[in-house]
Amino acid sequence: MLFVTASLVNLVALSYDNNLVASIAKPFLMPFLALTAYFWLKENEVPWNKLSASLISALAFGTIGDIFLMFSGKGFFIAGMAAFFAGHVCYFLVLLRLLKGRKPSGNMRDVGIVAVAAFAMMILMWVGATQVLSYKLDIAMGLIVFIYALAFPANVYFSAYGTIFYKPLWITAFGYLFFAFSDGLIGLDVFKDIDFASRHLLVMLTYIVAQAMIVCGIAKSIRSL
């Protein structure tokens, strides 16, 4: 309820262009989602381990990223990207640990899932590369943005591939698509000066949904171990 309340306060405030209230609520989003995940795992008698620690760490980095992106300036933007990238790495480590030692059976269903996962990864890589190139950034910034963007196809692939063994990871895969959409909207404003009414609201709505879906799919998969 704390996470839902903070999310609603943030989104309603943005819909009324009340940036002050939205800014106050924003830093509480990921900590409340982390608490939700922690107590949900505890209630389901899941022992604290590297998987759950990495999951909570991802949300901790998300909190740091949210705070940095509340400020303007190139330095804050890069720091925010670095924090979110660290969060994506934490999610990536969880997915790798979940899949460690597991191999698909080779039946048509598994082959189809791997093919869909690979296709989704290639599409995201293509979209990410074309977007970065269209921003016409200097080499250093372009490289930073491209490396950050690689986290999305990688995690989409492993979460989609992981559905062979953990069905809830479909939730995580779709959550990452929402995340990519949210970050794409931020990129349009930061690098192309493209803004429109309710953009901030749409960014936060897709971001909140994305993080909730990613955490939900991973937490349910951890419970099934």
Side-chain angles (χ1 to χ4, degrees):
M1 290 304 297
L2 289 172
F3 171 66
V4 171
T5 301
S7 299
L8 290 176
V9 169
N10 178 266
L11 295 173
V12 171
L14 287 174
S15 68
Y16 284 97
D17 294 322
N18 192 326
N19 292 323
L20 175 61
V21 174
S23 297
I24 292 172
K26 187 178 181 182
F28 292 98
L29 295 173
M30 294 306 105
F32 286 159
L33 182 57
L35 283 174
T36 303
Y38 173 78
F39 284 112
W40 186 86
L41 290 170
K42 188 175 180 180
E43 287 172 3
N44 283 274
E45 300 179 349
V46 178
W48 182 259
N49 52 33
K50 290 182 179 179
L51 290 170
S52 47
S54 294
L55 178 61
I56 301 303
S57 296
L59 296 171
F61 283 118
T63 302
I64 297 170
D66 282 341
I67 293 172
F68 278 133
L69 293 184
M70 289 170 62
F71 301 95
S72 58
K74 185 177 179 180
F76 285 114
F77 180 75
I78 293 176
M81 285 183 61
F84 277 113
F85 183 74
H88 293 313
V89 170
C90 290
Y91 286 137
F92 180 74
L93 292 175
V94 174
L95 293 171
L96 286 187
R97 290 188 179 113
L98 284 170
L99 298 174
K100 186 177 180 180
R102 294 183 177 271
K103 295 181 180 180
S105 64
N107 58 34
M108 290 301 295
R109 170 185 168 275
D110 290 1
V111 171
I113 289 176
V114 173
V116 170
F119 179 74
M121 178 181 67
M122 288 187 291
I123 289 294
L124 274 179
M125 288 185 69
W126 178 78
V127 171
T130 54
Q131 284 298 310
V132 171
L133 290 174
S134 71
Y135 293 153
K136 297 179 180 179
L137 305 173
D138 58 72
I139 295 176
M141 180 58 79
L143 185 61
I144 291 171
V145 174
F146 183 71
I147 291 173
Y148 173 81
L150 286 177
F152 293 95
N155 284 355
V156 165
Y157 173 78
F158 282 104
S159 53
Y161 169 81
T163 58
I164 294 174
F165 315 103
Y166 310 95
K167 289 183 179 180
L169 285 183
W170 275 117
I171 306 171
T172 298
F174 279 105
Y176 253 103
L177 295 180
F178 277 104
F179 211 134
F181 182 78
S182 179
D183 275 10
L185 291 175
I186 294 175
L188 288 177
D189 178 46
V190 173
F191 300 120
K192 286 192 171 184
D193 258 344
I194 297 176
D195 202 0
F196 53 88
S198 72
R199 186 188 65 84
H200 291 291
L201 175 62
L202 193 55
V203 166
M204 287 307 299
L205 175 61
T206 50
Y207 168 67
I208 291 169
V209 170
Q211 289 280 33
M213 291 180 71
I214 291 169
V215 171
C216 179
I218 289 177
K220 287 188 173 183
S221 299
I222 293 174
R223 182 187 63 174
S224 67
L225 287 173

